[in-house]
Amino acid sequence: MEKRQQLYAGKAKSVYATDDADYVVLSFRDDTSAFDGEKVEQLNRKGEVNNKFNAFIMQTLSGAGIATHFEKLLNETESLVKRMQMIPVECVVRNVASGSLVRRLGVEDGMSLTPPVFEFFLKNDALHDPMVNEYHIATFGWATEAQVQKMKQLTFEVNTVLKQLFADAGMILVDYKLEFGIFGGEVILGDEFSPDGCRLWDAQTRKKLDKDRFRQGLGGVIEAYEEVAKRIGVTL
Ligand code: 5GP
């Protein structure tokens, strides 16, 4: 497999073509952004930590029968993944109230949510990723109804697997964001799962171990990511 030209540069990852039309290289950079790209900093080691963290999670999900785009780690900061047609919505599941849910609805931060809340957001920084529902997705043709159902089903399956994984390591999976794409006509999990796109709290102290440390200027961002990685058994 040979790495070719850059196809796309996102806020934290770049995508490169390969000599195989079905595969691309995901390159995890140290860039860390928040507030739709308004706050950007370079955090040493983040690309490497997130690449390895994501590989571990994707392999765990795949072992649990959830199809993902992940193929293999290529080096410290890059992974080989299937080239998908991405669905431009973000799927969020919340087990505990925090972040935008608290701002929108005025509920108490830290409140346990039973059943968990599911939300769709349009992936569009210029519009600040507005919340959308299944009608918007159908009307604007972002995904079919069957694809919407599949994304919801897979996002909840991920919750079952990862809530337990993090609970076993003394953490609460507060919420997370997933993105899906289509490969060979099937909806499969794409993008990444890392502390950049989820909230994780220590189960005893409720210390934040995720990107909220960056968003809120709490410091120790990469140290927290490394701690989570170590607790769940990721080899860094
Ligand atoms: P909230 O809606 O509370 O801002 O985010 C809910 C969850 O989804 C959080 O775990 C947050 O990190 C993740 N999330 C939502 N939007 C994005 C996004 O555009 N990028 C990343 N990396 N994570 C997001």
Side-chain angles (χ1 to χ4, degrees):
M1 199 280 309
E2 202 179 293
K3 187 175 162 188
R4 296 257 167 99
Q5 79 280 11
Q6 181 172 298
L7 297 172
Y8 172 80
K11 295 194 290 293
K13 299 189 291 299
S14 303
V15 181
Y16 294 85
T18 69
D19 53 5
D20 185 330
D22 280 341
Y23 294 91
V24 291
V25 173
L26 269 193
S27 179
F28 290 73
R29 307 194 312 268
D30 286 345
D31 301 85
T32 311
S33 77
F35 314 120
D36 305 310
E38 276 170 32
K39 176 177 178 176
V40 184
E41 278 174 34
Q42 292 269 314
L43 294 181
N44 208 13
R45 303 198 301 285
K46 194 188 71 118
E48 180 180 342
V49 173
N50 278 4
N51 183 39
K52 294 177 180 173
F53 194 103
N54 176 63
F56 180 92
I57 296 288
M58 291 283 170
Q59 283 162 340
T60 301
L61 294 174
S62 169
I66 297 167
T68 85
H69 68 156
F70 182 81
E71 284 293 315
K72 61 175 180 181
L73 272 176
L74 293 173
N75 55 49
E76 303 289 279
T77 57
E78 293 182 323
S79 290
L80 187 68
V81 300
K82 295 186 180 76
R83 184 176 191 166
M84 301 187 293
Q85 183 198 328
M86 293 303 291
I87 299 171
V89 298
E90 301 180 341
C91 300
V92 169
V93 159
R94 301 174 187 273
N95 296 305
V96 175
S98 199
S100 74
L101 182 79
V102 170
R103 291 195 295 276
R104 258 181 285 126
L105 303 183
V107 296
E108 195 189 334
D109 193 277
M111 175 190 177
S112 178
L113 302 172
T114 311
V117 169
F118 182 99
E119 295 169 339
F120 283 116
F121 296 90
L122 176 64
K123 201 171 154 61
N124 186 321
D125 277 344
L127 299 177
H128 306 293
D129 292 354
M131 182 188 269
V132 293
N133 65 32
E134 295 173 29
Y135 289 86
H136 300 107
I137 296 174
T139 299
F140 299 113
W142 298 321
T144 66
E145 198 169 328
Q147 289 164 349
V148 164
Q149 292 316 318
K150 190 73 186 178
M151 286 193 287
K152 284 169 74 172
Q153 181 203 320
L154 290 171
T155 304
F156 278 113
E157 282 176 25
V158 166
N159 201 34
T160 305
V161 177
L162 296 189
K163 233 175 26 173
Q164 191 63 50
L165 175 86
F166 290 114
D168 289 345
M171 289 171 280
I172 302 166
L173 178 59
V174 171
D175 56 30
Y176 56 91
K177 181 263 298 178
L178 301 180
E179 294 180 29
F180 294 90
I182 299 157
F183 183 83
E186 293 295 315
V187 173
I188 64 173
L189 180 60
D191 193 47
E192 70 178 279
F193 190 103
S194 74
D196 265 3
C198 68
R199 288 192 172 92
L200 288 164
W201 295 349
D202 179 86
Q204 297 299 320
T205 64
R206 298 216 152 194
K207 179 182 171 188
K208 296 178 196 299
L209 300 169
D210 54 69
K211 197 157 118 181
D212 272 353
R213 300 202 70 79
F214 175 73
R215 295 188 186 101
Q216 299 175 11
L218 299 173
V221 181
I222 294 310
E223 291 76 7
Y225 287 24
E226 286 170 333
E227 153 119 31
V228 176
K230 190 169 134 210
R231 285 204 209 176
I232 62 172
V234 180
T235 312
L236 292 178

